[in-house]
Amino acid sequence: MPTRTTVCILAAGAGTRSRASAMGMHKALLPVGNRAVLSHIIGQFPPDSRFVLALGHYADQVRDYLAAAHPDIDAVCVPVDRVTGAGAGPGYSLLACRPHLQEPFVFTACDTLVPAEIPATDRNWLGVQPVDRPERWCTVATAGDRVTGLFYKRAGTPPLGFIGIAGVNDHDRFWTALERGLATRAESQVVPGLEALIEPGLAAVELPWHDTGDEEGYAALLGRFDPNYSFEGKTTDATYRLDDRIIKFFADPAVSARRFERGRRHPEAFAPVLEHRGHCYSYRFVEGENLAGRLDPGRMTALLDWLETAFWRRHPCDPGDFAALCRRFYRDKTLDRLGSYLARFGDGAEPEILRIDGLSCPPVAVLVEDLPEAFWSGGLPSTFHGDLHADNVLVDGDGRFTLIDWRQDFGGLTAYGDRYYDLAKFFHTLDFSVTAMRDGFRIREAGGEVALAHDPLPEADALQAAFWAFCARHGYDRHRIQVLNALIFVNMAPLYDRRLADYLYLLGRRRLAEALAGPDSEH
């Protein structure tokens, strides 16, 4: 008998029940308490366990994450050539792993978390929990703790559901029955193999369990852990912490590669990058406090002064080329993002006129087109962070700053961008903070008018005054920052779920109308 546990993780499916499908990511990579679901599953088993992963949909993402997060585990990834349509299913995926499972093993779905000790494979067993609607489950009939029958999604069956994890001791018997069953049944489930274990003895083991593949179950589970670093509702990336490493995942591997490249370019200011693995890159966890948690005018001014002297450096370039780049980055990208927001949430078109907080606000597209050509030539080519705000700044006990979560490029350039973009990004969270974005905002509509409200930062007026004082000392264009602040809000809108997306769009529309009303706007 093997001295270590062998575990098969079934991760080939499309995950259509999960929010991950909207994010373009594998559901096993959803963050829970700043660790991927997959890492939680791996952590349920002894450190010397051997893992066999059945992969199909988004297989490259899982392989990259494993390489970045768990480089030292014994794992083999098995490609599954049928993940949708007739014949696809967990039974087919499991059978693809058969050559690697010629010994007692545990198999588990990649969205099943069990916060308890997993039984050994010295007997056949399956995990169960009482369920309310048997017709939606594979249900289990028992005599004591012994399984006497299995029923796949049938009404009127016992209200005890199979939770997607089982231990197989009689593996030869299991494989023979599973292969025979898949040849004769239309749907590829694991039931035929499990049924074959009833005669020699199959125990029903009631285990605590969380279903992370179901939106309701995942949302409930998040409340049991520390808040994720990943912003709730964002649908483009995820952040994890494993010991002294931060791992960043992106659905687009080109984004990950460019962020890694930029991290290596700025070791004097950015958290030290470690490695790049396709969809993931990692950097060293830096001890320190998030500046957002202790932001006041003095610390903010100290940060801006440090950026001015130690990080921001002018970069030589052709002025005409840079103006054209700024035009594409600000104008064209804003219109593209606006189109994405409207296609996703706005029926494809902006309301012609909106009164927002008493201000008549033309459509964003009209306001953007009204910006003079001279606006695009006002950029300042410079080193840049790209997502500069207090939540992306760490400060240690000696007051030293470290920047995290930098942007991958500026319009395709990784060496330099527009310094005004950093200034506007920093101001935009003084205007609408990350904390307020989480659930501190409100939209009210009445009488044809829209009223926006969000929770201000402590000392918001003093912070904004100190920010503008810094800009005045160094000759930065306040009007340009105000316009870019508005464009940033619009650009963010399609990246979030509906409620926040609407607020970002409306706030951006209002701020843009406000900024274009005159350069001395007081917001």
Side-chain angles (χ1 to χ4, degrees), residues 259 261-273 283 286 306 311 384-386 401-407:
R259 292 208 181 194
E261 176 189 342
R262 293 204 62 232
R264 292 199 299 179
R265 193 185 295 273
H266 296 294
E268 80 288 357
F270 292 177
V273 293
Y283 57 82
V286 176
W306 173 75
F311 177 63
F384 75 108
H385 178 277
F401 298 109
T402 301
L403 307 181
I404 60 173
D405 288 357
W406 48 91
R407 183 182 172 87

PDB file of all heavy atoms in Angstrom, residues 259 261-273 283 286 306 311 384-386 401-407:
ATOM      1  N   ARG A 259       4.137  43.373 -16.873  1.00  0.00           N
ATOM      2  CA  ARG A 259       4.273  43.818 -15.475  1.00  0.00           C
ATOM      3  C   ARG A 259       5.569  43.297 -14.866  1.00  0.00           C
ATOM      4  O   ARG A 259       6.239  44.007 -14.107  1.00  0.00           O
ATOM      5  CB  ARG A 259       3.064  43.364 -14.658  1.00  0.00           C
ATOM      6  CG  ARG A 259       1.788  44.065 -15.075  1.00  0.00           C
ATOM      7  CD  ARG A 259       0.807  44.177 -13.939  1.00  0.00           C
ATOM      8  NE  ARG A 259      -0.417  44.834 -14.378  1.00  0.00           N
ATOM      9  CZ  ARG A 259      -1.338  45.315 -13.565  1.00  0.00           C
ATOM     10  NH1 ARG A 259      -1.177  45.214 -12.259  1.00  0.00           N
ATOM     11  NH2 ARG A 259      -2.423  45.889 -14.043  1.00  0.00           N
ATOM     12  N   GLU A 261       8.302  42.604 -16.536  1.00  0.00           N
ATOM     13  CA  GLU A 261       9.369  43.388 -17.162  1.00  0.00           C
ATOM     14  C   GLU A 261       9.507  44.745 -16.496  1.00  0.00           C
ATOM     15  O   GLU A 261      10.617  45.204 -16.189  1.00  0.00           O
ATOM     16  CB  GLU A 261       9.077  43.556 -18.654  1.00  0.00           C
ATOM     17  CG  GLU A 261      10.079  44.430 -19.382  1.00  0.00           C
ATOM     18  CD  GLU A 261       9.655  44.752 -20.802  1.00  0.00           C
ATOM     19  OE1 GLU A 261       8.784  44.041 -21.348  1.00  0.00           O
ATOM     20  OE2 GLU A 261      10.185  45.732 -21.364  1.00  0.00           O
ATOM     21  N   ARG A 262       8.391  45.408 -16.229  1.00  0.00           N
ATOM     22  CA  ARG A 262       8.444  46.728 -15.608  1.00  0.00           C
ATOM     23  C   ARG A 262       8.941  46.645 -14.168  1.00  0.00           C
ATOM     24  O   ARG A 262       9.625  47.547 -13.683  1.00  0.00           O
ATOM     25  CB  ARG A 262       7.064  47.402 -15.641  1.00  0.00           C
ATOM     26  CG  ARG A 262       6.603  47.752 -17.058  1.00  0.00           C
ATOM     27  CD  ARG A 262       5.588  48.876 -17.044  1.00  0.00           C
ATOM     28  NE  ARG A 262       6.158  50.075 -16.496  1.00  0.00           N
ATOM     29  CZ  ARG A 262       5.630  50.785 -15.513  1.00  0.00           C
ATOM     30  NH1 ARG A 262       4.496  50.399 -14.940  1.00  0.00           N
ATOM     31  NH2 ARG A 262       6.216  51.875 -15.079  1.00  0.00           N
ATOM     32  N   GLY A 263       8.602  45.551 -13.480  1.00  0.00           N
ATOM     33  CA  GLY A 263       9.101  45.388 -12.129  1.00  0.00           C
ATOM     34  C   GLY A 263      10.615  45.295 -12.097  1.00  0.00           C
ATOM     35  O   GLY A 263      11.276  45.867 -11.213  1.00  0.00           O
ATOM     36  N   ARG A 264      11.180  44.582 -13.050  1.00  0.00           N
ATOM     37  CA  ARG A 264      12.640  44.468 -13.115  1.00  0.00           C
ATOM     38  C   ARG A 264      13.288  45.809 -13.467  1.00  0.00           C
ATOM     39  O   ARG A 264      14.443  46.060 -13.095  1.00  0.00           O
ATOM     40  CB  ARG A 264      13.035  43.415 -14.153  1.00  0.00           C
ATOM     41  CG  ARG A 264      12.669  42.002 -13.749  1.00  0.00           C
ATOM     42  CD  ARG A 264      13.441  40.971 -14.534  1.00  0.00           C
ATOM     43  NE  ARG A 264      13.196  41.046 -15.967  1.00  0.00           N
ATOM     44  CZ  ARG A 264      13.781  40.261 -16.861  1.00  0.00           C
ATOM     45  NH1 ARG A 264      14.660  39.353 -16.465  1.00  0.00           N
ATOM     46  NH2 ARG A 264      13.492  40.378 -18.147  1.00  0.00           N
ATOM     47  N   ARG A 265      12.548  46.662 -14.159  1.00  0.00           N
ATOM     48  CA  ARG A 265      13.102  47.950 -14.591  1.00  0.00           C
ATOM     49  C   ARG A 265      13.221  48.947 -13.432  1.00  0.00           C
ATOM     50  O   ARG A 265      14.027  49.876 -13.490  1.00  0.00           O
ATOM     51  CB  ARG A 265      12.199  48.532 -15.685  1.00  0.00           C
ATOM     52  CG  ARG A 265      12.797  49.690 -16.453  1.00  0.00           C
ATOM     53  CD  ARG A 265      11.762  50.247 -17.425  1.00  0.00           C
ATOM     54  NE  ARG A 265      11.410  49.299 -18.458  1.00  0.00           N
ATOM     55  CZ  ARG A 265      12.051  49.143 -19.608  1.00  0.00           C
ATOM     56  NH1 ARG A 265      13.107  49.889 -19.863  1.00  0.00           N
ATOM     57  NH2 ARG A 265      11.639  48.270 -20.496  1.00  0.00           N
ATOM     58  N   HIS A 266      12.429  48.759 -12.366  1.00  0.00           N
ATOM     59  CA  HIS A 266      12.392  49.760 -11.288  1.00  0.00           C
ATOM     60  C   HIS A 266      12.599  49.125  -9.909  1.00  0.00           C
ATOM     61  O   HIS A 266      11.744  49.249  -9.026  1.00  0.00           O
ATOM     62  CB  HIS A 266      11.050  50.497 -11.322  1.00  0.00           C
ATOM     63  CG  HIS A 266      10.840  51.304 -12.564  1.00  0.00           C
ATOM     64  ND1 HIS A 266      11.596  52.408 -12.871  1.00  0.00           N
ATOM     65  CD2 HIS A 266       9.962  51.147 -13.593  1.00  0.00           C
ATOM     66  CE1 HIS A 266      11.195  52.909 -14.029  1.00  0.00           C
ATOM     67  NE2 HIS A 266      10.208  52.159 -14.486  1.00  0.00           N
ATOM     68  N   PRO A 267      13.728  48.477  -9.697  1.00  0.00           N
ATOM     69  CA  PRO A 267      13.952  47.856  -8.378  1.00  0.00           C
ATOM     70  C   PRO A 267      14.101  48.876  -7.255  1.00  0.00           C
ATOM     71  O   PRO A 267      13.937  48.541  -6.085  1.00  0.00           O
ATOM     72  CB  PRO A 267      15.253  47.075  -8.586  1.00  0.00           C
ATOM     73  CG  PRO A 267      15.967  47.794  -9.685  1.00  0.00           C
ATOM     74  CD  PRO A 267      14.877  48.271 -10.606  1.00  0.00           C
ATOM     75  N   GLU A 268      14.383  50.140  -7.608  1.00  0.00           N
ATOM     76  CA  GLU A 268      14.564  51.159  -6.581  1.00  0.00           C
ATOM     77  C   GLU A 268      13.246  51.600  -5.961  1.00  0.00           C
ATOM     78  O   GLU A 268      13.233  52.195  -4.882  1.00  0.00           O
ATOM     79  CB  GLU A 268      15.277  52.381  -7.185  1.00  0.00           C
ATOM     80  CG  GLU A 268      14.402  53.337  -7.988  1.00  0.00           C
ATOM     81  CD  GLU A 268      13.934  52.814  -9.358  1.00  0.00           C
ATOM     82  OE1 GLU A 268      14.322  51.696  -9.746  1.00  0.00           O
ATOM     83  OE2 GLU A 268      13.185  53.542 -10.035  1.00  0.00           O
ATOM     84  N   ALA A 269      12.129  51.292  -6.640  1.00  0.00           N
ATOM     85  CA  ALA A 269      10.837  51.789  -6.163  1.00  0.00           C
ATOM     86  C   ALA A 269       9.778  50.703  -6.036  1.00  0.00           C
ATOM     87  O   ALA A 269       8.910  50.789  -5.163  1.00  0.00           O
ATOM     88  CB  ALA A 269      10.322  52.881  -7.105  1.00  0.00           C
ATOM     89  N   PHE A 270       9.821  49.690  -6.905  1.00  0.00           N
ATOM     90  CA  PHE A 270       8.796  48.653  -6.911  1.00  0.00           C
ATOM     91  C   PHE A 270       9.188  47.499  -5.999  1.00  0.00           C
ATOM     92  O   PHE A 270      10.371  47.264  -5.747  1.00  0.00           O
ATOM     93  CB  PHE A 270       8.597  48.106  -8.326  1.00  0.00           C
ATOM     94  CG  PHE A 270       7.986  49.075  -9.312  1.00  0.00           C
ATOM     95  CD1 PHE A 270       7.815  48.718 -10.633  1.00  0.00           C
ATOM     96  CD2 PHE A 270       7.581  50.350  -8.922  1.00  0.00           C
ATOM     97  CE1 PHE A 270       7.263  49.593 -11.558  1.00  0.00           C
ATOM     98  CE2 PHE A 270       7.022  51.240  -9.834  1.00  0.00           C
ATOM     99  CZ  PHE A 270       6.865  50.860 -11.151  1.00  0.00           C
ATOM    100  N   ALA A 271       8.188  46.761  -5.525  1.00  0.00           N
ATOM    101  CA  ALA A 271       8.464  45.538  -4.756  1.00  0.00           C
ATOM    102  C   ALA A 271       9.308  44.593  -5.619  1.00  0.00           C
ATOM    103  O   ALA A 271       9.079  44.484  -6.831  1.00  0.00           O
ATOM    104  CB  ALA A 271       7.157  44.863  -4.357  1.00  0.00           C
ATOM    105  N   PRO A 272      10.272  43.882  -5.018  1.00  0.00           N
ATOM    106  CA  PRO A 272      11.192  43.054  -5.808  1.00  0.00           C
ATOM    107  C   PRO A 272      10.472  41.908  -6.520  1.00  0.00           C
ATOM    108  O   PRO A 272       9.855  41.060  -5.880  1.00  0.00           O
ATOM    109  CB  PRO A 272      12.170  42.509  -4.760  1.00  0.00           C
ATOM    110  CG  PRO A 272      12.030  43.400  -3.573  1.00  0.00           C
ATOM    111  CD  PRO A 272      10.612  43.871  -3.586  1.00  0.00           C
ATOM    112  N   VAL A 273      10.550  41.889  -7.855  1.00  0.00           N
ATOM    113  CA  VAL A 273       9.897  40.824  -8.610  1.00  0.00           C
ATOM    114  C   VAL A 273      10.735  39.553  -8.529  1.00  0.00           C
ATOM    115  O   VAL A 273      11.960  39.589  -8.399  1.00  0.00           O
ATOM    116  CB  VAL A 273       9.654  41.222 -10.077  1.00  0.00           C
ATOM    117  CG1 VAL A 273       8.637  42.349 -10.161  1.00  0.00           C
ATOM    118  CG2 VAL A 273      10.947  41.592 -10.779  1.00  0.00           C
ATOM    119  N   TYR A 283       6.047  38.718  -6.883  1.00  0.00           N
ATOM    120  CA  TYR A 283       7.025  39.607  -6.269  1.00  0.00           C
ATOM    121  C   TYR A 283       7.069  39.346  -4.772  1.00  0.00           C
ATOM    122  O   TYR A 283       6.174  38.713  -4.201  1.00  0.00           O
ATOM    123  CB  TYR A 283       6.740  41.087  -6.578  1.00  0.00           C
ATOM    124  CG  TYR A 283       5.402  41.652  -6.194  1.00  0.00           C
ATOM    125  CD1 TYR A 283       5.133  42.081  -4.887  1.00  0.00           C
ATOM    126  CD2 TYR A 283       4.403  41.832  -7.152  1.00  0.00           C
ATOM    127  CE1 TYR A 283       3.913  42.647  -4.552  1.00  0.00           C
ATOM    128  CE2 TYR A 283       3.178  42.410  -6.824  1.00  0.00           C
ATOM    129  CZ  TYR A 283       2.942  42.811  -5.522  1.00  0.00           C
ATOM    130  OH  TYR A 283       1.733  43.376  -5.186  1.00  0.00           O
ATOM    131  N   VAL A 286       6.364  42.548   0.902  1.00  0.00           N
ATOM    132  CA  VAL A 286       7.128  43.595   1.583  1.00  0.00           C
ATOM    133  C   VAL A 286       6.448  43.919   2.902  1.00  0.00           C
ATOM    134  O   VAL A 286       5.255  44.240   2.937  1.00  0.00           O
ATOM    135  CB  VAL A 286       7.225  44.860   0.706  1.00  0.00           C
ATOM    136  CG1 VAL A 286       7.945  45.973   1.455  1.00  0.00           C
ATOM    137  CG2 VAL A 286       7.950  44.537  -0.600  1.00  0.00           C
ATOM    138  N   TRP A 306       8.891  62.225  -2.521  1.00  0.00           N
ATOM    139  CA  TRP A 306       9.776  61.090  -2.833  1.00  0.00           C
ATOM    140  C   TRP A 306       9.660  60.697  -4.304  1.00  0.00           C
ATOM    141  O   TRP A 306      10.674  60.447  -4.974  1.00  0.00           O
ATOM    142  CB  TRP A 306       9.430  59.912  -1.927  1.00  0.00           C
ATOM    143  CG  TRP A 306      10.152  58.645  -2.259  1.00  0.00           C
ATOM    144  CD1 TRP A 306      11.465  58.346  -1.999  1.00  0.00           C
ATOM    145  CD2 TRP A 306       9.608  57.488  -2.917  1.00  0.00           C
ATOM    146  NE1 TRP A 306      11.767  57.083  -2.442  1.00  0.00           N
ATOM    147  CE2 TRP A 306      10.650  56.534  -3.011  1.00  0.00           C
ATOM    148  CE3 TRP A 306       8.349  57.172  -3.414  1.00  0.00           C
ATOM    149  CZ2 TRP A 306      10.458  55.278  -3.604  1.00  0.00           C
ATOM    150  CZ3 TRP A 306       8.152  55.933  -4.006  1.00  0.00           C
ATOM    151  CH2 TRP A 306       9.198  55.004  -4.098  1.00  0.00           C
ATOM    152  N   PHE A 311      11.814  58.837  -8.122  1.00  0.00           N
ATOM    153  CA  PHE A 311      11.219  57.900  -9.077  1.00  0.00           C
ATOM    154  C   PHE A 311      10.885  58.543 -10.423  1.00  0.00           C
ATOM    155  O   PHE A 311      11.278  58.049 -11.471  1.00  0.00           O
ATOM    156  CB  PHE A 311       9.962  57.274  -8.474  1.00  0.00           C
ATOM    157  CG  PHE A 311       9.241  56.357  -9.428  1.00  0.00           C
ATOM    158  CD1 PHE A 311       9.850  55.203  -9.910  1.00  0.00           C
ATOM    159  CD2 PHE A 311       7.956  56.652  -9.860  1.00  0.00           C
ATOM    160  CE1 PHE A 311       9.198  54.360 -10.807  1.00  0.00           C
ATOM    161  CE2 PHE A 311       7.286  55.822 -10.751  1.00  0.00           C
ATOM    162  CZ  PHE A 311       7.917  54.669 -11.229  1.00  0.00           C
ATOM    163  N   PHE A 384       6.899  55.982 -14.800  1.00  0.00           N
ATOM    164  CA  PHE A 384       5.536  56.036 -14.267  1.00  0.00           C
ATOM    165  C   PHE A 384       5.199  54.729 -13.560  1.00  0.00           C
ATOM    166  O   PHE A 384       5.827  53.699 -13.787  1.00  0.00           O
ATOM    167  CB  PHE A 384       4.526  56.304 -15.389  1.00  0.00           C
ATOM    168  CG  PHE A 384       4.254  55.107 -16.267  1.00  0.00           C
ATOM    169  CD1 PHE A 384       3.051  54.428 -16.204  1.00  0.00           C
ATOM    170  CD2 PHE A 384       5.229  54.648 -17.157  1.00  0.00           C
ATOM    171  CE1 PHE A 384       2.813  53.314 -17.002  1.00  0.00           C
ATOM    172  CE2 PHE A 384       4.994  53.541 -17.963  1.00  0.00           C
ATOM    173  CZ  PHE A 384       3.791  52.867 -17.880  1.00  0.00           C
ATOM    174  N   HIS A 385       4.201  54.794 -12.675  1.00  0.00           N
ATOM    175  CA  HIS A 385       3.680  53.620 -12.000  1.00  0.00           C
ATOM    176  C   HIS A 385       2.479  53.073 -12.765  1.00  0.00           C
ATOM    177  O   HIS A 385       2.424  51.909 -13.119  1.00  0.00           O
ATOM    178  CB  HIS A 385       3.281  53.963 -10.563  1.00  0.00           C
ATOM    179  CG  HIS A 385       2.683  52.833  -9.794  1.00  0.00           C
ATOM    180  ND1 HIS A 385       1.342  52.483  -9.890  1.00  0.00           N
ATOM    181  CD2 HIS A 385       3.220  51.956  -8.910  1.00  0.00           C
ATOM    182  CE1 HIS A 385       1.091  51.447  -9.111  1.00  0.00           C
ATOM    183  NE2 HIS A 385       2.213  51.111  -8.494  1.00  0.00           N
ATOM    184  N   GLY A 386       1.489  53.910 -12.997  1.00  0.00           N
ATOM    185  CA  GLY A 386       0.359  53.534 -13.823  1.00  0.00           C
ATOM    186  C   GLY A 386      -0.919  53.214 -13.070  1.00  0.00           C
ATOM    187  O   GLY A 386      -1.993  53.192 -13.660  1.00  0.00           O
ATOM    188  N   PHE A 401       9.156  54.147   1.330  1.00  0.00           N
ATOM    189  CA  PHE A 401       8.023  53.780   0.486  1.00  0.00           C
ATOM    190  C   PHE A 401       8.399  52.664  -0.485  1.00  0.00           C
ATOM    191  O   PHE A 401       9.526  52.615  -0.992  1.00  0.00           O
ATOM    192  CB  PHE A 401       7.531  54.987  -0.322  1.00  0.00           C
ATOM    193  CG  PHE A 401       7.033  56.129   0.516  1.00  0.00           C
ATOM    194  CD1 PHE A 401       7.761  57.305   0.615  1.00  0.00           C
ATOM    195  CD2 PHE A 401       5.839  56.013   1.217  1.00  0.00           C
ATOM    196  CE1 PHE A 401       7.306  58.360   1.383  1.00  0.00           C
ATOM    197  CE2 PHE A 401       5.371  57.069   1.996  1.00  0.00           C
ATOM    198  CZ  PHE A 401       6.110  58.236   2.082  1.00  0.00           C
ATOM    199  N   THR A 402       7.446  51.773  -0.742  1.00  0.00           N
ATOM    200  CA  THR A 402       7.565  50.759  -1.787  1.00  0.00           C
ATOM    201  C   THR A 402       6.263  50.746  -2.579  1.00  0.00           C
ATOM    202  O   THR A 402       5.174  50.750  -2.003  1.00  0.00           O
ATOM    203  CB  THR A 402       7.807  49.354  -1.192  1.00  0.00           C
ATOM    204  OG1 THR A 402       9.009  49.366  -0.418  1.00  0.00           O
ATOM    205  CG2 THR A 402       7.919  48.296  -2.298  1.00  0.00           C
ATOM    206  N   LEU A 403       6.375  50.716  -3.896  1.00  0.00           N
ATOM    207  CA  LEU A 403       5.207  50.718  -4.772  1.00  0.00           C
ATOM    208  C   LEU A 403       4.868  49.294  -5.204  1.00  0.00           C
ATOM    209  O   LEU A 403       5.768  48.502  -5.526  1.00  0.00           O
ATOM    210  CB  LEU A 403       5.465  51.581  -6.015  1.00  0.00           C
ATOM    211  CG  LEU A 403       5.937  53.016  -5.761  1.00  0.00           C
ATOM    212  CD1 LEU A 403       6.122  53.750  -7.092  1.00  0.00           C
ATOM    213  CD2 LEU A 403       4.962  53.768  -4.872  1.00  0.00           C
ATOM    214  N   ILE A 404       3.594  48.977  -5.223  1.00  0.00           N
ATOM    215  CA  ILE A 404       3.134  47.656  -5.641  1.00  0.00           C
ATOM    216  C   ILE A 404       2.064  47.819  -6.728  1.00  0.00           C
ATOM    217  O   ILE A 404       1.546  48.903  -6.944  1.00  0.00           O
ATOM    218  CB  ILE A 404       2.572  46.845  -4.454  1.00  0.00           C
ATOM    219  CG1 ILE A 404       1.380  47.553  -3.806  1.00  0.00           C
ATOM    220  CG2 ILE A 404       3.662  46.571  -3.416  1.00  0.00           C
ATOM    221  CD1 ILE A 404       0.666  46.745  -2.731  1.00  0.00           C
ATOM    222  N   ASP A 405       1.756  46.721  -7.401  1.00  0.00           N
ATOM    223  CA  ASP A 405       0.640  46.643  -8.363  1.00  0.00           C
ATOM    224  C   ASP A 405       0.690  47.733  -9.431  1.00  0.00           C
ATOM    225  O   ASP A 405      -0.294  48.416  -9.716  1.00  0.00           O
ATOM    226  CB  ASP A 405      -0.703  46.676  -7.627  1.00  0.00           C
ATOM    227  CG  ASP A 405      -0.973  45.378  -6.893  1.00  0.00           C
ATOM    228  OD1 ASP A 405      -0.143  44.455  -7.010  1.00  0.00           O
ATOM    229  OD2 ASP A 405      -1.997  45.284  -6.212  1.00  0.00           O
ATOM    230  N   TRP A 406       1.840  47.874 -10.051  1.00  0.00           N
ATOM    231  CA  TRP A 406       2.036  48.830 -11.122  1.00  0.00           C
ATOM    232  C   TRP A 406       1.322  48.368 -12.402  1.00  0.00           C
ATOM    233  O   TRP A 406       1.057  47.197 -12.604  1.00  0.00           O
ATOM    234  CB  TRP A 406       3.529  48.996 -11.397  1.00  0.00           C
ATOM    235  CG  TRP A 406       4.258  47.678 -11.516  1.00  0.00           C
ATOM    236  CD1 TRP A 406       4.478  46.942 -12.649  1.00  0.00           C
ATOM    237  CD2 TRP A 406       4.828  46.929 -10.436  1.00  0.00           C
ATOM    238  NE1 TRP A 406       5.155  45.787 -12.357  1.00  0.00           N
ATOM    239  CE2 TRP A 406       5.394  45.736 -11.006  1.00  0.00           C
ATOM    240  CE3 TRP A 406       4.932  47.122  -9.061  1.00  0.00           C
ATOM    241  CZ2 TRP A 406       6.032  44.776 -10.240  1.00  0.00           C
ATOM    242  CZ3 TRP A 406       5.586  46.150  -8.299  1.00  0.00           C
ATOM    243  CH2 TRP A 406       6.127  44.997  -8.895  1.00  0.00           C
ATOM    244  N   ARG A 407       1.049  49.317 -13.276  1.00  0.00           N
ATOM    245  CA  ARG A 407       0.406  49.026 -14.556  1.00  0.00           C
ATOM    246  C   ARG A 407       1.437  48.399 -15.512  1.00  0.00           C
ATOM    247  O   ARG A 407       2.637  48.663 -15.401  1.00  0.00           O
ATOM    248  CB  ARG A 407      -0.174  50.308 -15.144  1.00  0.00           C
ATOM    249  CG  ARG A 407      -0.940  50.122 -16.446  1.00  0.00           C
ATOM    250  CD  ARG A 407      -1.438  51.464 -16.988  1.00  0.00           C
ATOM    251  NE  ARG A 407      -2.003  51.294 -18.316  1.00  0.00           N
ATOM    252  CZ  ARG A 407      -3.263  50.962 -18.557  1.00  0.00           C
ATOM    253  NH1 ARG A 407      -4.084  50.806 -17.531  1.00  0.00           N
ATOM    254  NH2 ARG A 407      -3.697  50.802 -19.790  1.00  0.00           N
TER     255      ARG A 407
END
